[in-house]
Amino acid sequence: MDLLSKYSDQLIDAFWTTVQLTAFSAIGALILGTILAAMRVSPIPVARGVGTAYVTIFRNTPLTLIIIFCSFGLFQTMGVKLAPEQSPTFFTQNNFRLAVLGLSIYTAAFVCESIRSGINTVHVGQAEAGRSLGLTFSQNLRLIVLPQAFRAVTAPLGSVLIALTKNTTIASVIGVAEASLLMKEMIENEAAIFVVGGIFALGFVVLTLPMGLLFGYLSKRFEVAR
């Protein structure tokens, strides 16, 4: 309890940063992953090839390497800045946004595969019916296929989101002040490694357990009758 009272404000700030990393990265990964899934089922060979190459590369690349590349490669080497340079919190904002970029790029590959598996559950006759009505590929995908695909993969997408929440700990390697960075500082300053570890383990359970319950409920609620 002494540790909780001593670090209460810092714990709240650290886990709030973790929540923000998760939320923004999830939005970016969902958008990019949906585009990639559309490319992977596209009738255009080049689009399918690009989508397949993206998924193959990023699913087999360590997340730590991607995050480090975003910081040292994009920012320090190529000069890519994602925050106003005149801002007094430039480095904090820039590192946070670079971490979101890296997490989104990495997670999008897993989102893509989840959505593609959902697309494969939609009966081919429905897509053919859409084409017979004069719908283009994009219209067919947007109006007929994707709504059913998302319903079919609610639970897998929940699993990806839970994994993303835990993966945010990697952002600490570029100085983002999320939960794992504070845990490291607390372990260095306090002679209570098991207590500190228990606090942060409990914190992540509090974040991820409701997600699992929510997506489990939604998967049953939106399950497509076969």
Side-chain angles (χ1 to χ4, degrees), residues 54-67 106 110:
Y54 182 102
V55 170
T56 301
I57 291 170
F58 286 101
R59 283 182 72 185
N60 294 285
T61 302
L63 176 57
T64 305
L65 184 61
I66 295 172
I67 296 291
Y106 177 78
F110 297 90

Side-chain angles (χ1 to χ4, degrees), residues 81-91 93-94 97:
K81 300 179 181 67
L82 301 181
E85 197 167 3
Q86 66 275 14
S87 171
T89 57
F90 165 71
F91 287 104
Q93 292 183 43
N94 196 57
R97 293 173 185 178

